[in-house]
Amino acid sequence: MRNFDYYNPVKILFGKGKIAEIAKWIPKGMKVMMTYGGGSIKKNGVYEQVMDALQGFDIVEFGGIEPNPKYETLMRAVELAKQENVGFLLAVGGGSVIDGTKFIAAATCFEGNEPWDIVAKGARVNAALPLGAVLTLPATGSEMNSGGVITRQSTLEKLAFNSRHVFPKFSVLDPMVTYSLPMKQVANGVVDTFVHVMEQYYTFPEQAEIQDRFSESILKTLIELGPKLIHAEKPNYEDRANFMWAATMGLNGLIACGVSQDWSTHHIGHELTAFNGLDHGITLAIVLPGVMNATKIKRREKLLQYAARVWNIDTDQPDAADQAIARTEQFFNELGVKTRLSDYGVGIDTIDRIEKRFRERGDFALGGIDDVNVDNVRAILTSRL
Amino acid sequence: MRNFDYYNPVKILFGKGKIAEIAKWIPKGMKVMMTYGGGSIKKNGVYEQVMDALQGFDIVEFGGIEPNPKYETLMRAVELAKQENVGFLLAVGGGSVIDGTKFIAAATCFEGNEPWDIVAKGARVNAALPLGAVLTLPATGSEMNSGGVITRQSTLEKLAFNSRHVFPKFSVLDPMVTYSLPMKQVANGVVDTFVHVMEQYYTFPEQAEIQDRFSESILKTLIELGPKLIHAEKPNYEDRANFMWAATMGLNGLIACGVSQDWSTHHIGHELTAFNGLDHGITLAIVLPGVMNATKIKRREKLLQYAARVWNIDTDQPDAADQAIARTEQFFNELGVKTRLSDYGVGIDTIDRIEKRFRERGDFALGGIDDVNVDNVRAILTSRL
């Protein structure tokens, strides 16, 4: 096990009806900016629940944060927050709204030249507005971590940032608010969570027994839950609750403690979203099997552990590793997520652009381990056509 | 899954050499009171490491906190802390030292009549001195939670308290510092951790998939590790690291999220320590098999899940539940921990006293679930003679 630091001060309020408790966790007298996305919260009752809970607070609204939240949009929110002298941000939405709100929180207090430097140049975040979250879509884990991913429309860049100052002070996870989600978003959320776990797990054996077993716990839970969620005639509270908690545990830092990580599937996927607008979850379902194939020799030992413990594959069979990769892709397909670039009309031209961009950025390893790199990203993506 | 709140702001510094980093997390200019136990830290090099790390700080020492830390001792530390105007407490030791230091932290700021009320009457803790910990004995989980257990010598009472104000600001977990532990303490630590997990897991199925699997992950890890730790010719870093992290994860609140709990084994065990001075881990190893037997019909479903997932017992066998209980006791025995009251010279007279005390306190259920209660505690303990 490697040395590590772990710190996660997010207060989780989990369960039905918990939105009603949020006022307790927002300092009295603060002007609150409530951020949200395309307005689905105004149709499914979440908006009313939040407004009821915030009675007595002075509230500013900022709606319209899009999936893959755009720098251009968020900077308008920063202006509004400054103008209105906002003291607390409340993100009501999925990972995009929460990521975007984290960026608003940091950018409002940013003293450098241009807040884009926070993502593009890793400019240091020294302060941020305090924020809370009401999660509506389990997927990204943003509700219990200190990271965010922001897209710049003008340059088609999708980049991540991280700062301890943007941990939410609290996050409400009420499984009921997921009932109105389109099934496609549920499927994408399952894929996103699955891949988050894989990127912290599918590397090398490092004798981190608890972390490995926790990762396998989340993966097995998703494998059991996924088809139930997708094929349910109506939403089941317990399944939604388990999905929500699995997604949060998948990216709150816990399973990353003391182990190697490889975020190449996300990094390659971000480019597919930036250039072609593909849903984030879809890009991961496309890329992961390619990354697994490209790394299966070097990472054979961990891949066989995954095969045995997660899929109950008999690892005495010579093709156990390939079976594990195939089962992974099949799992995504069974959720209704297609896993080939050609399924989405993406071709060689995009692969050219992605390879070029990675070469220009000058990073050799794309996700932290050098067996996925600028020299094999073309082969990986071509294998996914 | 039940509704729950989860909050744990402890910063973990994990790995070899991490003691050297503590000064970064203590506010400059604070007078630090370093608390410790019987002095083993002066023999194994931990004291020097801490002193080296604290260069530049004004330090007051308070040694001599005993196993099952005594109110009488801790109140002397409170006096010293007030007299010296201490601003930060650094606990260097195992669970007893950390628990005791949490109590010192709360009692120093206590404004009520007598700080014993914090444990005896649940008097509210409104403030506490900030504290950090350097853990030397993996077992209690105190390094990453907000609870403590204190014993009053004059009345032979051992009672628990809890306050968010006594979460350590940081805890250092360096597996190397465990190398000099007597093997008996390692065995007790494995038992303590195992039983902590069982008390948050062995209840009823509540469709908390992640929490159940995380609990089973810790139990399986302990079952693998225990004999390796005990029979190793010399300490192995990876095994010690996994043990240390397992113990912390066993009682940091995570696996308790959204599930029933039953702390009766601890409550009964505390009385055995209070009356007869038995090691905490030993009392748990004695009591748990009795509690499992007494509850095996009502909790059959969860017991069979435990049998299947943790012990790989074929649950089609009619005696699968009994096998699981027997395997649990056998595991403790294989660690060198004897599991009968008579092994320690404890007889009926102690059982009389324990039953009497529980009746006097007036709680019917001893640990949160009513199938272990004042009416069957005698039978449970008699079965362990």
PDB file of all heavy atoms in Angstrom, chain A residues 75-107:
ATOM      1  N   MET A  75     -19.257  31.828 -16.101  1.00  0.00           N
ATOM      2  CA  MET A  75     -18.727  33.164 -15.826  1.00  0.00           C
ATOM      3  C   MET A  75     -19.846  34.193 -15.709  1.00  0.00           C
ATOM      4  O   MET A  75     -19.696  35.207 -15.014  1.00  0.00           O
ATOM      5  CB  MET A  75     -17.695  33.566 -16.905  1.00  0.00           C
ATOM      6  CG  MET A  75     -16.355  32.835 -16.766  1.00  0.00           C
ATOM      7  SD  MET A  75     -15.616  32.931 -15.103  1.00  0.00           S
ATOM      8  CE  MET A  75     -15.204  34.682 -15.030  1.00  0.00           C
ATOM      9  N   ARG A  76     -20.974  33.913 -16.353  1.00  0.00           N
ATOM     10  CA  ARG A  76     -22.136  34.798 -16.161  1.00  0.00           C
ATOM     11  C   ARG A  76     -22.658  34.656 -14.718  1.00  0.00           C
ATOM     12  O   ARG A  76     -23.065  35.636 -14.092  1.00  0.00           O
ATOM     13  CB  ARG A  76     -23.236  34.474 -17.173  1.00  0.00           C
ATOM     14  CG  ARG A  76     -22.906  34.965 -18.596  1.00  0.00           C
ATOM     15  CD  ARG A  76     -24.128  34.934 -19.501  1.00  0.00           C
ATOM     16  NE  ARG A  76     -24.507  33.574 -19.862  1.00  0.00           N
ATOM     17  CZ  ARG A  76     -25.603  32.942 -19.474  1.00  0.00           C
ATOM     18  NH1 ARG A  76     -26.485  33.558 -18.694  1.00  0.00           N
ATOM     19  NH2 ARG A  76     -25.849  31.701 -19.851  1.00  0.00           N
ATOM     20  N   ALA A  77     -22.611  33.430 -14.224  1.00  0.00           N
ATOM     21  CA  ALA A  77     -23.033  33.214 -12.832  1.00  0.00           C
ATOM     22  C   ALA A  77     -22.083  33.904 -11.856  1.00  0.00           C
ATOM     23  O   ALA A  77     -22.509  34.438 -10.826  1.00  0.00           O
ATOM     24  CB  ALA A  77     -23.101  31.722 -12.531  1.00  0.00           C
ATOM     25  N   VAL A  78     -20.789  33.900 -12.191  1.00  0.00           N
ATOM     26  CA  VAL A  78     -19.800  34.566 -11.334  1.00  0.00           C
ATOM     27  C   VAL A  78     -20.112  36.066 -11.257  1.00  0.00           C
ATOM     28  O   VAL A  78     -20.100  36.663 -10.165  1.00  0.00           O
ATOM     29  CB  VAL A  78     -18.371  34.327 -11.876  1.00  0.00           C
ATOM     30  CG1 VAL A  78     -17.358  35.215 -11.158  1.00  0.00           C
ATOM     31  CG2 VAL A  78     -17.989  32.855 -11.740  1.00  0.00           C
ATOM     32  N   GLU A  79     -20.438  36.636 -12.395  1.00  0.00           N
ATOM     33  CA  GLU A  79     -20.804  38.060 -12.409  1.00  0.00           C
ATOM     34  C   GLU A  79     -22.002  38.324 -11.510  1.00  0.00           C
ATOM     35  O   GLU A  79     -22.018  39.260 -10.717  1.00  0.00           O
ATOM     36  CB  GLU A  79     -21.122  38.519 -13.846  1.00  0.00           C
ATOM     37  CG  GLU A  79     -19.889  38.707 -14.713  1.00  0.00           C
ATOM     38  CD  GLU A  79     -18.788  39.475 -13.985  1.00  0.00           C
ATOM     39  OE1 GLU A  79     -19.041  40.609 -13.533  1.00  0.00           O
ATOM     40  OE2 GLU A  79     -17.672  38.922 -13.831  1.00  0.00           O
ATOM     41  N   LEU A  80     -23.009  37.480 -11.666  1.00  0.00           N
ATOM     42  CA  LEU A  80     -24.237  37.646 -10.884  1.00  0.00           C
ATOM     43  C   LEU A  80     -23.947  37.501  -9.386  1.00  0.00           C
ATOM     44  O   LEU A  80     -24.441  38.279  -8.556  1.00  0.00           O
ATOM     45  CB  LEU A  80     -25.283  36.618 -11.335  1.00  0.00           C
ATOM     46  CG  LEU A  80     -26.641  36.685 -10.627  1.00  0.00           C
ATOM     47  CD1 LEU A  80     -27.347  38.006 -10.914  1.00  0.00           C
ATOM     48  CD2 LEU A  80     -27.537  35.511 -11.066  1.00  0.00           C
ATOM     49  N   ALA A  81     -23.124  36.507  -9.048  1.00  0.00           N
ATOM     50  CA  ALA A  81     -22.803  36.263  -7.632  1.00  0.00           C
ATOM     51  C   ALA A  81     -22.106  37.477  -7.018  1.00  0.00           C
ATOM     52  O   ALA A  81     -22.397  37.882  -5.884  1.00  0.00           O
ATOM     53  CB  ALA A  81     -21.932  35.014  -7.495  1.00  0.00           C
ATOM     54  N   LYS A  82     -21.200  38.072  -7.790  1.00  0.00           N
ATOM     55  CA  LYS A  82     -20.478  39.256  -7.283  1.00  0.00           C
ATOM     56  C   LYS A  82     -21.430  40.432  -7.142  1.00  0.00           C
ATOM     57  O   LYS A  82     -21.446  41.125  -6.118  1.00  0.00           O
ATOM     58  CB  LYS A  82     -19.342  39.620  -8.241  1.00  0.00           C
ATOM     59  CG  LYS A  82     -18.148  38.672  -8.165  1.00  0.00           C
ATOM     60  CD  LYS A  82     -17.057  39.093  -9.149  1.00  0.00           C
ATOM     61  CE  LYS A  82     -15.820  38.227  -9.039  1.00  0.00           C
ATOM     62  NZ  LYS A  82     -14.868  38.478 -10.124  1.00  0.00           N
ATOM     63  N   GLN A  83     -22.225  40.636  -8.188  1.00  0.00           N
ATOM     64  CA  GLN A  83     -23.154  41.765  -8.230  1.00  0.00           C
ATOM     65  C   GLN A  83     -24.159  41.702  -7.074  1.00  0.00           C
ATOM     66  O   GLN A  83     -24.470  42.697  -6.444  1.00  0.00           O
ATOM     67  CB  GLN A  83     -23.859  41.651  -9.583  1.00  0.00           C
ATOM     68  CG  GLN A  83     -24.766  42.753  -9.997  1.00  0.00           C
ATOM     69  CD  GLN A  83     -25.413  42.337 -11.337  1.00  0.00           C
ATOM     70  OE1 GLN A  83     -24.722  41.929 -12.284  1.00  0.00           O
ATOM     71  NE2 GLN A  83     -26.730  42.415 -11.402  1.00  0.00           N
ATOM     72  N   GLU A  84     -24.617  40.466  -6.788  1.00  0.00           N
ATOM     73  CA  GLU A  84     -25.652  40.290  -5.756  1.00  0.00           C
ATOM     74  C   GLU A  84     -25.059  40.056  -4.373  1.00  0.00           C
ATOM     75  O   GLU A  84     -25.780  39.843  -3.410  1.00  0.00           O
ATOM     76  CB  GLU A  84     -26.558  39.103  -6.123  1.00  0.00           C
ATOM     77  CG  GLU A  84     -27.378  39.316  -7.390  1.00  0.00           C
ATOM     78  CD  GLU A  84     -28.629  40.135  -7.111  1.00  0.00           C
ATOM     79  OE1 GLU A  84     -28.975  40.311  -5.920  1.00  0.00           O
ATOM     80  OE2 GLU A  84     -29.257  40.612  -8.067  1.00  0.00           O
ATOM     81  N   ASN A  85     -23.733  40.024  -4.309  1.00  0.00           N
ATOM     82  CA  ASN A  85     -23.071  39.807  -3.021  1.00  0.00           C
ATOM     83  C   ASN A  85     -23.541  38.496  -2.368  1.00  0.00           C
ATOM     84  O   ASN A  85     -23.888  38.461  -1.186  1.00  0.00           O
ATOM     85  CB  ASN A  85     -23.338  40.990  -2.099  1.00  0.00           C
ATOM     86  CG  ASN A  85     -22.261  41.116  -1.043  1.00  0.00           C
ATOM     87  OD1 ASN A  85     -21.187  40.512  -1.172  1.00  0.00           O
ATOM     88  ND2 ASN A  85     -22.540  41.860   0.024  1.00  0.00           N
ATOM     89  N   VAL A  86     -23.537  37.443  -3.165  1.00  0.00           N
ATOM     90  CA  VAL A  86     -23.982  36.128  -2.715  1.00  0.00           C
ATOM     91  C   VAL A  86     -22.992  35.547  -1.705  1.00  0.00           C
ATOM     92  O   VAL A  86     -21.781  35.686  -1.876  1.00  0.00           O
ATOM     93  CB  VAL A  86     -24.137  35.195  -3.938  1.00  0.00           C
ATOM     94  CG1 VAL A  86     -24.180  33.743  -3.524  1.00  0.00           C
ATOM     95  CG2 VAL A  86     -25.378  35.583  -4.735  1.00  0.00           C
ATOM     96  N   GLY A  87     -23.506  34.890  -0.664  1.00  0.00           N
ATOM     97  CA  GLY A  87     -22.633  34.328   0.372  1.00  0.00           C
ATOM     98  C   GLY A  87     -22.608  32.815   0.400  1.00  0.00           C
ATOM     99  O   GLY A  87     -21.742  32.215   1.046  1.00  0.00           O
ATOM    100  N   PHE A  88     -23.548  32.179  -0.285  1.00  0.00           N
ATOM    101  CA  PHE A  88     -23.619  30.712  -0.265  1.00  0.00           C
ATOM    102  C   PHE A  88     -24.214  30.244  -1.588  1.00  0.00           C
ATOM    103  O   PHE A  88     -25.176  30.832  -2.078  1.00  0.00           O
ATOM    104  CB  PHE A  88     -24.498  30.234   0.906  1.00  0.00           C
ATOM    105  CG  PHE A  88     -24.350  28.771   1.226  1.00  0.00           C
ATOM    106  CD1 PHE A  88     -23.434  28.339   2.173  1.00  0.00           C
ATOM    107  CD2 PHE A  88     -25.121  27.813   0.564  1.00  0.00           C
ATOM    108  CE1 PHE A  88     -23.287  26.980   2.465  1.00  0.00           C
ATOM    109  CE2 PHE A  88     -24.971  26.445   0.852  1.00  0.00           C
ATOM    110  CZ  PHE A  88     -24.051  26.041   1.812  1.00  0.00           C
ATOM    111  N   LEU A  89     -23.641  29.181  -2.146  1.00  0.00           N
ATOM    112  CA  LEU A  89     -24.157  28.619  -3.396  1.00  0.00           C
ATOM    113  C   LEU A  89     -24.852  27.296  -3.100  1.00  0.00           C
ATOM    114  O   LEU A  89     -24.313  26.464  -2.366  1.00  0.00           O
ATOM    115  CB  LEU A  89     -23.011  28.368  -4.389  1.00  0.00           C
ATOM    116  CG  LEU A  89     -22.138  29.571  -4.747  1.00  0.00           C
ATOM    117  CD1 LEU A  89     -21.001  29.134  -5.687  1.00  0.00           C
ATOM    118  CD2 LEU A  89     -22.967  30.671  -5.409  1.00  0.00           C
ATOM    119  N   LEU A  90     -26.014  27.111  -3.676  1.00  0.00           N
ATOM    120  CA  LEU A  90     -26.706  25.831  -3.531  1.00  0.00           C
ATOM    121  C   LEU A  90     -26.940  25.238  -4.918  1.00  0.00           C
ATOM    122  O   LEU A  90     -27.747  25.744  -5.687  1.00  0.00           O
ATOM    123  CB  LEU A  90     -28.041  26.015  -2.802  1.00  0.00           C
ATOM    124  CG  LEU A  90     -28.805  24.699  -2.578  1.00  0.00           C
ATOM    125  CD1 LEU A  90     -28.056  23.780  -1.621  1.00  0.00           C
ATOM    126  CD2 LEU A  90     -30.213  24.966  -2.053  1.00  0.00           C
ATOM    127  N   ALA A  91     -26.206  24.172  -5.216  1.00  0.00           N
ATOM    128  CA  ALA A  91     -26.340  23.501  -6.507  1.00  0.00           C
ATOM    129  C   ALA A  91     -27.461  22.480  -6.414  1.00  0.00           C
ATOM    130  O   ALA A  91     -27.441  21.616  -5.546  1.00  0.00           O
ATOM    131  CB  ALA A  91     -25.030  22.797  -6.854  1.00  0.00           C
ATOM    132  N   VAL A  92     -28.425  22.578  -7.309  1.00  0.00           N
ATOM    133  CA  VAL A  92     -29.525  21.615  -7.321  1.00  0.00           C
ATOM    134  C   VAL A  92     -29.514  20.946  -8.688  1.00  0.00           C
ATOM    135  O   VAL A  92     -29.941  21.529  -9.684  1.00  0.00           O
ATOM    136  CB  VAL A  92     -30.879  22.305  -7.064  1.00  0.00           C
ATOM    137  CG1 VAL A  92     -32.002  21.273  -7.004  1.00  0.00           C
ATOM    138  CG2 VAL A  92     -30.835  23.104  -5.763  1.00  0.00           C
ATOM    139  N   GLY A  93     -28.973  19.743  -8.753  1.00  0.00           N
ATOM    140  CA  GLY A  93     -28.877  19.087 -10.051  1.00  0.00           C
ATOM    141  C   GLY A  93     -27.928  17.906 -10.018  1.00  0.00           C
ATOM    142  O   GLY A  93     -27.633  17.356  -8.949  1.00  0.00           O
ATOM    143  N   GLY A  94     -27.448  17.524 -11.188  1.00  0.00           N
ATOM    144  CA  GLY A  94     -26.522  16.404 -11.313  1.00  0.00           C
ATOM    145  C   GLY A  94     -25.080  16.892 -11.269  1.00  0.00           C
ATOM    146  O   GLY A  94     -24.799  18.018 -10.839  1.00  0.00           O
ATOM    147  N   GLY A  95     -24.192  16.046 -11.720  1.00  0.00           N
ATOM    148  CA  GLY A  95     -22.774  16.358 -11.653  1.00  0.00           C
ATOM    149  C   GLY A  95     -22.401  17.628 -12.392  1.00  0.00           C
ATOM    150  O   GLY A  95     -21.520  18.370 -11.941  1.00  0.00           O
ATOM    151  N   SER A  96     -23.064  17.914 -13.493  1.00  0.00           N
ATOM    152  CA  SER A  96     -22.704  19.114 -14.248  1.00  0.00           C
ATOM    153  C   SER A  96     -23.026  20.371 -13.455  1.00  0.00           C
ATOM    154  O   SER A  96     -22.230  21.311 -13.416  1.00  0.00           O
ATOM    155  CB  SER A  96     -23.447  19.143 -15.594  1.00  0.00           C
ATOM    156  OG  SER A  96     -22.986  18.085 -16.404  1.00  0.00           O
ATOM    157  N   VAL A  97     -24.184  20.391 -12.825  1.00  0.00           N
ATOM    158  CA  VAL A  97     -24.562  21.568 -12.036  1.00  0.00           C
ATOM    159  C   VAL A  97     -23.636  21.698 -10.830  1.00  0.00           C
ATOM    160  O   VAL A  97     -23.172  22.796 -10.494  1.00  0.00           O
ATOM    161  CB  VAL A  97     -26.048  21.479 -11.603  1.00  0.00           C
ATOM    162  CG1 VAL A  97     -26.378  22.592 -10.610  1.00  0.00           C
ATOM    163  CG2 VAL A  97     -26.966  21.559 -12.817  1.00  0.00           C
ATOM    164  N   ILE A  98     -23.322  20.578 -10.193  1.00  0.00           N
ATOM    165  CA  ILE A  98     -22.458  20.650  -8.998  1.00  0.00           C
ATOM    166  C   ILE A  98     -21.029  21.028  -9.398  1.00  0.00           C
ATOM    167  O   ILE A  98     -20.419  21.904  -8.788  1.00  0.00           O
ATOM    168  CB  ILE A  98     -22.498  19.326  -8.202  1.00  0.00           C
ATOM    169  CG1 ILE A  98     -23.943  19.000  -7.788  1.00  0.00           C
ATOM    170  CG2 ILE A  98     -21.612  19.429  -6.955  1.00  0.00           C
ATOM    171  CD1 ILE A  98     -24.125  17.645  -7.122  1.00  0.00           C
ATOM    172  N   ASP A  99     -20.513  20.395 -10.450  1.00  0.00           N
ATOM    173  CA  ASP A  99     -19.171  20.773 -10.935  1.00  0.00           C
ATOM    174  C   ASP A  99     -19.140  22.258 -11.296  1.00  0.00           C
ATOM    175  O   ASP A  99     -18.210  22.987 -10.923  1.00  0.00           O
ATOM    176  CB  ASP A  99     -18.809  19.975 -12.198  1.00  0.00           C
ATOM    177  CG  ASP A  99     -18.338  18.561 -11.897  1.00  0.00           C
ATOM    178  OD1 ASP A  99     -18.495  18.116 -10.757  1.00  0.00           O
ATOM    179  OD2 ASP A  99     -17.824  17.911 -12.831  1.00  0.00           O
ATOM    180  N   GLY A 100     -20.148  22.688 -12.027  1.00  0.00           N
ATOM    181  CA  GLY A 100     -20.196  24.087 -12.454  1.00  0.00           C
ATOM    182  C   GLY A 100     -20.255  25.024 -11.257  1.00  0.00           C
ATOM    183  O   GLY A 100     -19.602  26.079 -11.242  1.00  0.00           O
ATOM    184  N   THR A 101     -21.012  24.631 -10.249  1.00  0.00           N
ATOM    185  CA  THR A 101     -21.160  25.484  -9.062  1.00  0.00           C
ATOM    186  C   THR A 101     -19.853  25.543  -8.275  1.00  0.00           C
ATOM    187  O   THR A 101     -19.503  26.584  -7.706  1.00  0.00           O
ATOM    188  CB  THR A 101     -22.333  24.965  -8.202  1.00  0.00           C
ATOM    189  OG1 THR A 101     -23.496  24.928  -9.027  1.00  0.00           O
ATOM    190  CG2 THR A 101     -22.581  25.871  -7.008  1.00  0.00           C
ATOM    191  N   LYS A 102     -19.123  24.429  -8.252  1.00  0.00           N
ATOM    192  CA  LYS A 102     -17.797  24.464  -7.619  1.00  0.00           C
ATOM    193  C   LYS A 102     -16.906  25.485  -8.338  1.00  0.00           C
ATOM    194  O   LYS A 102     -16.154  26.233  -7.704  1.00  0.00           O
ATOM    195  CB  LYS A 102     -17.141  23.081  -7.677  1.00  0.00           C
ATOM    196  CG  LYS A 102     -17.766  22.055  -6.742  1.00  0.00           C
ATOM    197  CD  LYS A 102     -17.130  20.693  -6.996  1.00  0.00           C
ATOM    198  CE  LYS A 102     -17.635  19.639  -6.022  1.00  0.00           C
ATOM    199  NZ  LYS A 102     -17.104  18.295  -6.367  1.00  0.00           N
ATOM    200  N   PHE A 103     -17.006  25.479  -9.657  1.00  0.00           N
ATOM    201  CA  PHE A 103     -16.186  26.425 -10.414  1.00  0.00           C
ATOM    202  C   PHE A 103     -16.625  27.862 -10.127  1.00  0.00           C
ATOM    203  O   PHE A 103     -15.788  28.758  -9.941  1.00  0.00           O
ATOM    204  CB  PHE A 103     -16.255  26.125 -11.914  1.00  0.00           C
ATOM    205  CG  PHE A 103     -15.302  26.979 -12.703  1.00  0.00           C
ATOM    206  CD1 PHE A 103     -13.960  26.660 -12.773  1.00  0.00           C
ATOM    207  CD2 PHE A 103     -15.752  28.134 -13.341  1.00  0.00           C
ATOM    208  CE1 PHE A 103     -13.065  27.473 -13.465  1.00  0.00           C
ATOM    209  CE2 PHE A 103     -14.872  28.951 -14.027  1.00  0.00           C
ATOM    210  CZ  PHE A 103     -13.526  28.625 -14.097  1.00  0.00           C
ATOM    211  N   ILE A 104     -17.920  28.089 -10.073  1.00  0.00           N
ATOM    212  CA  ILE A 104     -18.426  29.435  -9.734  1.00  0.00           C
ATOM    213  C   ILE A 104     -17.880  29.852  -8.369  1.00  0.00           C
ATOM    214  O   ILE A 104     -17.432  30.989  -8.176  1.00  0.00           O
ATOM    215  CB  ILE A 104     -19.978  29.447  -9.718  1.00  0.00           C
ATOM    216  CG1 ILE A 104     -20.538  29.119 -11.104  1.00  0.00           C
ATOM    217  CG2 ILE A 104     -20.503  30.804  -9.246  1.00  0.00           C
ATOM    218  CD1 ILE A 104     -22.044  28.793 -11.109  1.00  0.00           C
ATOM    219  N   ALA A 105     -17.912  28.913  -7.426  1.00  0.00           N
ATOM    220  CA  ALA A 105     -17.446  29.192  -6.061  1.00  0.00           C
ATOM    221  C   ALA A 105     -15.983  29.633  -6.060  1.00  0.00           C
ATOM    222  O   ALA A 105     -15.601  30.600  -5.386  1.00  0.00           O
ATOM    223  CB  ALA A 105     -17.626  27.952  -5.182  1.00  0.00           C
ATOM    224  N   ALA A 106     -15.163  28.913  -6.835  1.00  0.00           N
ATOM    225  CA  ALA A 106     -13.731  29.235  -6.879  1.00  0.00           C
ATOM    226  C   ALA A 106     -13.473  30.492  -7.698  1.00  0.00           C
ATOM    227  O   ALA A 106     -12.670  31.349  -7.315  1.00  0.00           O
ATOM    228  CB  ALA A 106     -12.957  28.048  -7.456  1.00  0.00           C
ATOM    229  N   ALA A 107     -14.173  30.628  -8.830  1.00  0.00           N
ATOM    230  CA  ALA A 107     -13.915  31.749  -9.744  1.00  0.00           C
ATOM    231  C   ALA A 107     -14.350  33.078  -9.125  1.00  0.00           C
ATOM    232  O   ALA A 107     -13.729  34.117  -9.373  1.00  0.00           O
ATOM    233  CB  ALA A 107     -14.626  31.516 -11.078  1.00  0.00           C
TER     234      ALA A 107
END
